[in-house]
Amino acid sequence: MATSTHTKKPTPGRFGPYGGRYVPETLMAALEELDRAYGKAKRDRKFQRELDDLRRNYAGRPTPLFFARHLSRKLGGAKIYLKREDLLHTGAHKINNCLGQALLAVRMGKRRIIAETGAGQHGVATATVCALLGLECVVYMGTEDMRRQELNVFRMRLLGAEVRAVEAGSRTLKDAINEAMRDWVTNVRTTHYLLGSVLGAHPYPMMVRDFQSVIGREARAQILKAEGRLPNAIIACVGGGSNAMGIFYAFLQDKKVKLIGVEAGGRGKKLGEHAARLDGGSPGVLQGTFSYVLQNSHGQIAATHSVSAGLDYPGIGPEHAWLHESGRAEYVSASDAEALAACQFLSRTEGIIPALESAHAIAECVKRAPKMKKNDLVIVNVSGRGDKDMGILREELAGLNQ
């Protein structure tokens, strides 16, 4: 259940009025411990060196900034660059955050890791780093998402993780988070909750953003090297919002760089047919944070829909809510049909099959680039690759099976 009220007393981790901590008292000590540990780790050169080494030699950073010449030529207008997070180990940006949080858990003496996953990429990345560091791993996943992402379920189990099926509610990401939080409350002394996006109670939105901000730092240096100037626009898909915050953060102070987040427009405008929180939602509290959520007039969390499991969530990260309200970023949506068409278009134009989440960002680029000037620059964050979505694509693009 969501509520539109929030505390008047100053609370750590606020982005304007958004963010804060709305959790059971039993979790407050764990959040404070995590906040302290992360604060120390940020200042610890040994921790940062170890993280940088794993990013480079294990995950495969830096990822390329690829000039999509064929896409640019076909669309006309702006020059389009793709930030290739899909080339990272495990296939998406999620590994950036998982490496950081897993190292932090080891520092805190927490040898059991729990996580939630929707599209499965965060679960796979969590299982991967737990295997690397010798940690116990339990991943909660809604049964509907397990059906849609069967390959990733097998990958997690192959890596040694226990995947716990969640039958409650809509059997998607929201329900997986609920179960993970119940587990954390019960096992808080021995367990670290490796949250996968810029969601939840402080310090998670800040911490996850920081671990993902390597995307934007690289992209900034790469575009300056390639073009000698900053881009006119950056486009990224927004579920919880970690890949978008990751690339936006390095450009927040550059007012001439337009930041564009793309939510899931689903199959219609009615509540329950989409996951566009900043278009169809309102401020409320969900799973530890105050942000925009999809809810009905009675404050009950609404059902959501997206062809992409990773965008199918009723809340959005609180920093995104503040960027929207302050006007620093623009948030739009792409429908299921637009995302599927964009996925097919990029695949055939550049030989890059994006994740369906990332295809939403490509869809907005397809709309926007032709209206821009020839010397304008656009960076699209390709947050993940489409291997995991072959089952969905096979069903949705049935004509390709013939």
PDB file of all heavy atoms in Angstrom, residues 308-328:
ATOM      1  N   SER A 308       8.952  -5.937 -21.422  1.00  0.00           N
ATOM      2  CA  SER A 308      10.277  -6.147 -20.820  1.00  0.00           C
ATOM      3  C   SER A 308      10.139  -6.299 -19.310  1.00  0.00           C
ATOM      4  O   SER A 308       9.661  -5.390 -18.629  1.00  0.00           O
ATOM      5  CB  SER A 308      11.209  -4.977 -21.148  1.00  0.00           C
ATOM      6  OG  SER A 308      10.667  -3.753 -20.695  1.00  0.00           O
ATOM      7  N   ALA A 309      10.579  -7.435 -18.795  1.00  0.00           N
ATOM      8  CA  ALA A 309      10.425  -7.710 -17.359  1.00  0.00           C
ATOM      9  C   ALA A 309      11.173  -6.703 -16.496  1.00  0.00           C
ATOM     10  O   ALA A 309      10.752  -6.387 -15.386  1.00  0.00           O
ATOM     11  CB  ALA A 309      10.921  -9.127 -17.061  1.00  0.00           C
ATOM     12  N   GLY A 310      12.281  -6.157 -16.988  1.00  0.00           N
ATOM     13  CA  GLY A 310      13.078  -5.227 -16.201  1.00  0.00           C
ATOM     14  C   GLY A 310      12.474  -3.854 -16.022  1.00  0.00           C
ATOM     15  O   GLY A 310      12.943  -3.073 -15.185  1.00  0.00           O
ATOM     16  N   LEU A 311      11.459  -3.501 -16.815  1.00  0.00           N
ATOM     17  CA  LEU A 311      10.793  -2.196 -16.672  1.00  0.00           C
ATOM     18  C   LEU A 311       9.427  -2.314 -16.012  1.00  0.00           C
ATOM     19  O   LEU A 311       8.755  -1.308 -15.794  1.00  0.00           O
ATOM     20  CB  LEU A 311      10.626  -1.529 -18.052  1.00  0.00           C
ATOM     21  CG  LEU A 311      11.890  -1.298 -18.881  1.00  0.00           C
ATOM     22  CD1 LEU A 311      11.544  -0.487 -20.138  1.00  0.00           C
ATOM     23  CD2 LEU A 311      12.971  -0.602 -18.081  1.00  0.00           C
ATOM     24  N   ASP A 312       9.041  -3.524 -15.666  1.00  0.00           N
ATOM     25  CA  ASP A 312       7.686  -3.815 -15.189  1.00  0.00           C
ATOM     26  C   ASP A 312       7.613  -3.653 -13.668  1.00  0.00           C
ATOM     27  O   ASP A 312       7.453  -4.617 -12.929  1.00  0.00           O
ATOM     28  CB  ASP A 312       7.334  -5.251 -15.596  1.00  0.00           C
ATOM     29  CG  ASP A 312       5.855  -5.550 -15.481  1.00  0.00           C
ATOM     30  OD1 ASP A 312       5.103  -4.638 -15.105  1.00  0.00           O
ATOM     31  OD2 ASP A 312       5.464  -6.703 -15.748  1.00  0.00           O
ATOM     32  N   TYR A 313       7.703  -2.395 -13.203  1.00  0.00           N
ATOM     33  CA  TYR A 313       7.744  -2.108 -11.763  1.00  0.00           C
ATOM     34  C   TYR A 313       6.944  -0.842 -11.488  1.00  0.00           C
ATOM     35  O   TYR A 313       7.032   0.129 -12.250  1.00  0.00           O
ATOM     36  CB  TYR A 313       9.209  -1.930 -11.312  1.00  0.00           C
ATOM     37  CG  TYR A 313       9.373  -1.676  -9.836  1.00  0.00           C
ATOM     38  CD1 TYR A 313       9.096  -2.675  -8.904  1.00  0.00           C
ATOM     39  CD2 TYR A 313       9.787  -0.435  -9.375  1.00  0.00           C
ATOM     40  CE1 TYR A 313       9.241  -2.444  -7.550  1.00  0.00           C
ATOM     41  CE2 TYR A 313       9.939  -0.189  -8.013  1.00  0.00           C
ATOM     42  CZ  TYR A 313       9.670  -1.190  -7.104  1.00  0.00           C
ATOM     43  OH  TYR A 313       9.800  -0.954  -5.755  1.00  0.00           O
ATOM     44  N   PRO A 314       6.138  -0.808 -10.397  1.00  0.00           N
ATOM     45  CA  PRO A 314       5.240   0.330 -10.161  1.00  0.00           C
ATOM     46  C   PRO A 314       5.884   1.569  -9.552  1.00  0.00           C
ATOM     47  O   PRO A 314       5.218   2.602  -9.405  1.00  0.00           O
ATOM     48  CB  PRO A 314       4.187  -0.249  -9.209  1.00  0.00           C
ATOM     49  CG  PRO A 314       4.903  -1.328  -8.471  1.00  0.00           C
ATOM     50  CD  PRO A 314       5.863  -1.927  -9.469  1.00  0.00           C
ATOM     51  N   GLY A 315       7.165   1.503  -9.166  1.00  0.00           N
ATOM     52  CA  GLY A 315       7.843   2.664  -8.584  1.00  0.00           C
ATOM     53  C   GLY A 315       9.066   3.041  -9.394  1.00  0.00           C
ATOM     54  O   GLY A 315       9.518   2.298 -10.265  1.00  0.00           O
ATOM     55  N   ILE A 316       9.615   4.222  -9.089  1.00  0.00           N
ATOM     56  CA  ILE A 316      10.814   4.702  -9.780  1.00  0.00           C
ATOM     57  C   ILE A 316      11.768   5.266  -8.737  1.00  0.00           C
ATOM     58  O   ILE A 316      11.336   5.715  -7.664  1.00  0.00           O
ATOM     59  CB  ILE A 316      10.436   5.774 -10.837  1.00  0.00           C
ATOM     60  CG1 ILE A 316      11.617   6.077 -11.771  1.00  0.00           C
ATOM     61  CG2 ILE A 316       9.911   7.052 -10.178  1.00  0.00           C
ATOM     62  CD1 ILE A 316      11.217   6.943 -12.959  1.00  0.00           C
ATOM     63  N   GLY A 317      13.053   5.227  -9.016  1.00  0.00           N
ATOM     64  CA  GLY A 317      14.040   5.735  -8.077  1.00  0.00           C
ATOM     65  C   GLY A 317      13.779   7.180  -7.681  1.00  0.00           C
ATOM     66  O   GLY A 317      13.392   7.995  -8.512  1.00  0.00           O
ATOM     67  N   PRO A 318      13.974   7.539  -6.393  1.00  0.00           N
ATOM     68  CA  PRO A 318      13.637   8.885  -5.921  1.00  0.00           C
ATOM     69  C   PRO A 318      14.447  10.003  -6.575  1.00  0.00           C
ATOM     70  O   PRO A 318      13.940  11.121  -6.711  1.00  0.00           O
ATOM     71  CB  PRO A 318      13.915   8.807  -4.415  1.00  0.00           C
ATOM     72  CG  PRO A 318      14.884   7.674  -4.253  1.00  0.00           C
ATOM     73  CD  PRO A 318      14.502   6.686  -5.307  1.00  0.00           C
ATOM     74  N   GLU A 319      15.661   9.709  -7.002  1.00  0.00           N
ATOM     75  CA  GLU A 319      16.429  10.760  -7.676  1.00  0.00           C
ATOM     76  C   GLU A 319      15.820  11.090  -9.033  1.00  0.00           C
ATOM     77  O   GLU A 319      15.830  12.237  -9.471  1.00  0.00           O
ATOM     78  CB  GLU A 319      17.894  10.358  -7.811  1.00  0.00           C
ATOM     79  CG  GLU A 319      18.790  11.528  -8.215  1.00  0.00           C
ATOM     80  CD  GLU A 319      20.269  11.273  -7.995  1.00  0.00           C
ATOM     81  OE1 GLU A 319      20.654  10.136  -7.641  1.00  0.00           O
ATOM     82  OE2 GLU A 319      21.052  12.230  -8.167  1.00  0.00           O
ATOM     83  N   HIS A 320      15.266  10.085  -9.698  1.00  0.00           N
ATOM     84  CA  HIS A 320      14.553  10.348 -10.955  1.00  0.00           C
ATOM     85  C   HIS A 320      13.318  11.216 -10.713  1.00  0.00           C
ATOM     86  O   HIS A 320      13.006  12.108 -11.507  1.00  0.00           O
ATOM     87  CB  HIS A 320      14.138   9.036 -11.618  1.00  0.00           C
ATOM     88  CG  HIS A 320      15.258   8.325 -12.301  1.00  0.00           C
ATOM     89  ND1 HIS A 320      15.903   8.823 -13.409  1.00  0.00           N
ATOM     90  CD2 HIS A 320      15.862   7.137 -12.021  1.00  0.00           C
ATOM     91  CE1 HIS A 320      16.847   7.976 -13.799  1.00  0.00           C
ATOM     92  NE2 HIS A 320      16.839   6.949 -12.958  1.00  0.00           N
ATOM     93  N   ALA A 321      12.610  10.935  -9.622  1.00  0.00           N
ATOM     94  CA  ALA A 321      11.434  11.754  -9.290  1.00  0.00           C
ATOM     95  C   ALA A 321      11.831  13.217  -9.135  1.00  0.00           C
ATOM     96  O   ALA A 321      11.128  14.122  -9.602  1.00  0.00           O
ATOM     97  CB  ALA A 321      10.782  11.237  -8.004  1.00  0.00           C
ATOM     98  N   TRP A 322      12.982  13.438  -8.490  1.00  0.00           N
ATOM     99  CA  TRP A 322      13.448  14.810  -8.288  1.00  0.00           C
ATOM    100  C   TRP A 322      13.932  15.441  -9.592  1.00  0.00           C
ATOM    101  O   TRP A 322      13.661  16.625  -9.867  1.00  0.00           O
ATOM    102  CB  TRP A 322      14.554  14.841  -7.236  1.00  0.00           C
ATOM    103  CG  TRP A 322      15.120  16.208  -7.002  1.00  0.00           C
ATOM    104  CD1 TRP A 322      16.422  16.586  -7.108  1.00  0.00           C
ATOM    105  CD2 TRP A 322      14.413  17.398  -6.611  1.00  0.00           C
ATOM    106  NE1 TRP A 322      16.575  17.917  -6.820  1.00  0.00           N
ATOM    107  CE2 TRP A 322      15.352  18.443  -6.508  1.00  0.00           C
ATOM    108  CE3 TRP A 322      13.068  17.661  -6.350  1.00  0.00           C
ATOM    109  CZ2 TRP A 322      14.999  19.739  -6.157  1.00  0.00           C
ATOM    110  CZ3 TRP A 322      12.709  18.962  -5.986  1.00  0.00           C
ATOM    111  CH2 TRP A 322      13.663  19.976  -5.901  1.00  0.00           C
ATOM    112  N   LEU A 323      14.621  14.686 -10.434  1.00  0.00           N
ATOM    113  CA  LEU A 323      15.057  15.220 -11.728  1.00  0.00           C
ATOM    114  C   LEU A 323      13.858  15.583 -12.592  1.00  0.00           C
ATOM    115  O   LEU A 323      13.879  16.582 -13.328  1.00  0.00           O
ATOM    116  CB  LEU A 323      15.944  14.204 -12.454  1.00  0.00           C
ATOM    117  CG  LEU A 323      17.310  13.922 -11.844  1.00  0.00           C
ATOM    118  CD1 LEU A 323      18.053  12.869 -12.656  1.00  0.00           C
ATOM    119  CD2 LEU A 323      18.147  15.196 -11.736  1.00  0.00           C
ATOM    120  N   HIS A 324      12.806  14.792 -12.495  1.00  0.00           N
ATOM    121  CA  HIS A 324      11.566  15.094 -13.211  1.00  0.00           C
ATOM    122  C   HIS A 324      10.923  16.363 -12.671  1.00  0.00           C
ATOM    123  O   HIS A 324      10.585  17.279 -13.439  1.00  0.00           O
ATOM    124  CB  HIS A 324      10.615  13.905 -13.067  1.00  0.00           C
ATOM    125  CG  HIS A 324       9.188  14.208 -13.391  1.00  0.00           C
ATOM    126  ND1 HIS A 324       8.737  14.455 -14.669  1.00  0.00           N
ATOM    127  CD2 HIS A 324       8.086  14.319 -12.573  1.00  0.00           C
ATOM    128  CE1 HIS A 324       7.433  14.697 -14.641  1.00  0.00           C
ATOM    129  NE2 HIS A 324       7.023  14.620 -13.383  1.00  0.00           N
ATOM    130  N   GLU A 325      10.775  16.433 -11.364  1.00  0.00           N
ATOM    131  CA  GLU A 325      10.082  17.573 -10.755  1.00  0.00           C
ATOM    132  C   GLU A 325      10.866  18.866 -10.913  1.00  0.00           C
ATOM    133  O   GLU A 325      10.282  19.938 -11.105  1.00  0.00           O
ATOM    134  CB  GLU A 325       9.826  17.286  -9.274  1.00  0.00           C
ATOM    135  CG  GLU A 325       8.842  18.256  -8.642  1.00  0.00           C
ATOM    136  CD  GLU A 325       8.319  17.727  -7.327  1.00  0.00           C
ATOM    137  OE1 GLU A 325       7.545  16.750  -7.348  1.00  0.00           O
ATOM    138  OE2 GLU A 325       8.686  18.301  -6.290  1.00  0.00           O
ATOM    139  N   SER A 326      12.187  18.776 -10.855  1.00  0.00           N
ATOM    140  CA  SER A 326      13.031  19.969 -10.997  1.00  0.00           C
ATOM    141  C   SER A 326      13.209  20.383 -12.451  1.00  0.00           C
ATOM    142  O   SER A 326      13.703  21.479 -12.727  1.00  0.00           O
ATOM    143  CB  SER A 326      14.403  19.712 -10.373  1.00  0.00           C
ATOM    144  OG  SER A 326      15.102  18.710 -11.094  1.00  0.00           O
ATOM    145  N   GLY A 327      12.815  19.520 -13.375  1.00  0.00           N
ATOM    146  CA  GLY A 327      12.928  19.829 -14.791  1.00  0.00           C
ATOM    147  C   GLY A 327      14.291  19.518 -15.393  1.00  0.00           C
ATOM    148  O   GLY A 327      14.518  19.790 -16.576  1.00  0.00           O
ATOM    149  N   ARG A 328      15.217  18.940 -14.604  1.00  0.00           N
ATOM    150  CA  ARG A 328      16.544  18.672 -15.151  1.00  0.00           C
ATOM    151  C   ARG A 328      16.521  17.540 -16.175  1.00  0.00           C
ATOM    152  O   ARG A 328      17.338  17.512 -17.108  1.00  0.00           O
ATOM    153  CB  ARG A 328      17.534  18.331 -14.020  1.00  0.00           C
ATOM    154  CG  ARG A 328      18.944  17.993 -14.509  1.00  0.00           C
ATOM    155  CD  ARG A 328      19.570  19.169 -15.242  1.00  0.00           C
ATOM    156  NE  ARG A 328      20.817  18.817 -15.924  1.00  0.00           N
ATOM    157  CZ  ARG A 328      20.901  18.447 -17.195  1.00  0.00           C
ATOM    158  NH1 ARG A 328      19.815  18.337 -17.945  1.00  0.00           N
ATOM    159  NH2 ARG A 328      22.078  18.188 -17.747  1.00  0.00           N
TER     160      ARG A 328
END
